[in-house]
Amino acid sequence: MKFSLSIKKLYLALFLTAVSLPSAAQIENQDIDPEELPFGLLDEANQPDEENFIDNNYLGPLDQDVELDDKNPFFPDEYYVERLKAIPAPEELQTFNPVVKSYIDRYAGRLRRSVSSLVGRYNLYANIFDDILARYDLPEVLNYLPVIESAINPKAKSHAGAAGLWQFMPSTGKNYGLDINTWVDERNDPWLSTEAAARYLSKLYETYGDWCLVLAAYNCGPGNVNRAIARAGGISNYWTIYPYLPKETRGYVPAFIAATYIMNNYSQHNIKARTATKPIVLDTATVHYDIKMEQIATACSIDLEEIKGFNPQYRSTFIPGARRRCTIALPQELSIKFAAVEDSIYRYNAANSPTTAVADSTNNTTAENIGDIANNDSSDDYETYINTSSNHNKKSSQSRKSKKTSSSSRKGKTVTARSGDSLSRIAARNNTTVAKLRKLNRIKGDRIRAGQKIRVK
């Protein structure tokens, strides 16, 4: 009897799969239902954006060296099957059928110019995705999820209100630790949103144990997936529940499989990637006090628009470091420079205003002065400058310096570990050794975490 029921379930699954998959003729590239397109595949998400800092300042020209831009070669189905099998991915995410083929055709045809930019943007964020997803032991192929979610644009926002690389709705984002308030929207933070996405995907996999169902639930919510499974007779297979899912989710998994294919095989379709005009490795630094990006730009000799472009989580140039956890992303070499001059910037704020003004009318200190001093990487020069600005500032600065010196003699000097930091990097920045850091901080190995306080003197 049990065997008979199993056979019936198998036939039901095969029948539903057969009737749910449209034929290749029914789903040509131009006939894809727009309501089944994930946000990252919509034309609006792939239009050139004049305000996109990464595209405009990080990537090379769209048309450079593109000799065969409009020629998409024909390949038999066997070719796609073989290429998908070659991508390291769970078996269920290597499926090829007419629906998947239709989305591959969309990427290789209508969206081929967008693919050029997608590959360029992906290369900037790939290390972030790799590190965080690996920490949660998630399949590397999930790195391509932001392709269909946001077209790899950290400032993307859908009509439904989802935002960021991973397109979190406000409620889901908050449930996974992302702050959304007057100053910041952490859904737009590449690091924090990837961390939240990894946690959410991990939880969904614990529930379903099948990556196609996980992706479906990520898109439309577990409730919709559970209802679709119930309507399909309790069969937990994406292609079986396909006709019972919301329209967009029907296209979500095949679009994802198509995205993994095209990101690994774009050159086979005569698509040339937009390459970086200069190598950029992003690093993060912790901001401990209220500060404005203008001050950081001046002190580190970096364009303000570059800071804004790398930090899309902030709603303005104000960083409320004194009120909440705050980090700022900068190119690695400038992140190190910021760490060297940040105390000087904070002392300037304290000497002149309780707010984050760049300059104060009570003396002649200007943003340019801060930049000149910061470029010397000397706190003593900065202190001298502040002390001579006025008699009032001289007295108050000397008082603060005296208190700081007294405090330092008791407590020593402490720094905050940044993302990607190691004991050797911290030692090099502070003219000490790894052995001394281990002794001062009672650390036996080399493991430290971002945000950890490390005593250096």
Side-chain angles (χ1 to χ4, degrees), residues 114-225:
S114 295
V115 171
S116 296
S117 298
L118 285 171
V119 177
R121 294 175 205 154
Y122 175 81
N123 289 334
L124 177 64
Y125 298 108
N127 287 340
I128 299 173
F129 301 157
D130 283 342
D131 292 345
I132 294 176
L133 295 183
R135 198 177 338 128
Y136 284 84
D137 198 27
L138 294 172
E140 184 180 350
V141 73
L142 295 179
N143 282 8
Y144 302 118
L145 199 53
V147 174
I148 65 168
E149 281 289 351
S150 63
I152 318 184
N153 178 2
K155 295 194 75 172
K157 189 169 184 178
S158 73
H159 291 306
L165 287 166
W166 300 86
Q167 287 292 284
F168 276 101
M169 293 295 287
S171 57
T172 309
K174 290 178 180 179
N175 286 342
Y176 283 86
L178 298 178
D179 282 347
I180 304 170
N181 57 46
T182 303
W183 302 299
V184 301
D185 186 340
E186 290 183 342
R187 295 177 297 169
N188 297 332
D189 185 305
W191 280 268
L192 295 178
S193 66
T194 302
E195 184 92 26
R199 291 173 56 205
Y200 189 26
L201 290 165
S202 295
K203 182 177 180 180
L204 290 173
Y205 189 73
E206 289 177 5
T207 301
Y208 295 105
D210 178 286
W211 286 108
C212 285
L213 295 178
V214 166
L215 295 182
Y218 185 90
N219 178 252
C220 68
N224 282 316
V225 171

Side-chain angles (χ1 to χ4, degrees), residues 319-338:
I319 304 174
R323 314 167 196 218
R324 59 182 308 284
R325 59 173 188 178
C326 281
T327 60
I328 188 163
L330 295 168
Q332 195 170 62
E333 66 278 9
L334 293 177
S335 179
I336 295 172
K337 186 172 185 179
F338 171 72

Side-chain angles (χ1 to χ4, degrees), residues 423-424 426-434 436-437 440 456-457:
L423 288 179
S424 59
I426 294 175
R429 288 202 301 266
N430 293 276
N431 298 316
T432 185
T433 66
V434 172
K436 288 182 179 179
L437 291 181
L440 282 170
V456 296
K457 288 184 180 179

Side-chain angles (χ1 to χ4, degrees), residues 273-291:
R274 293 180 67 183
T275 56
T277 55
K278 55 182 178 179
I280 296 182
V281 178
L282 294 180
D283 198 359
T284 59
T286 302
V287 177
H288 300 96
Y289 300 94
D290 291 351
I291 195 172

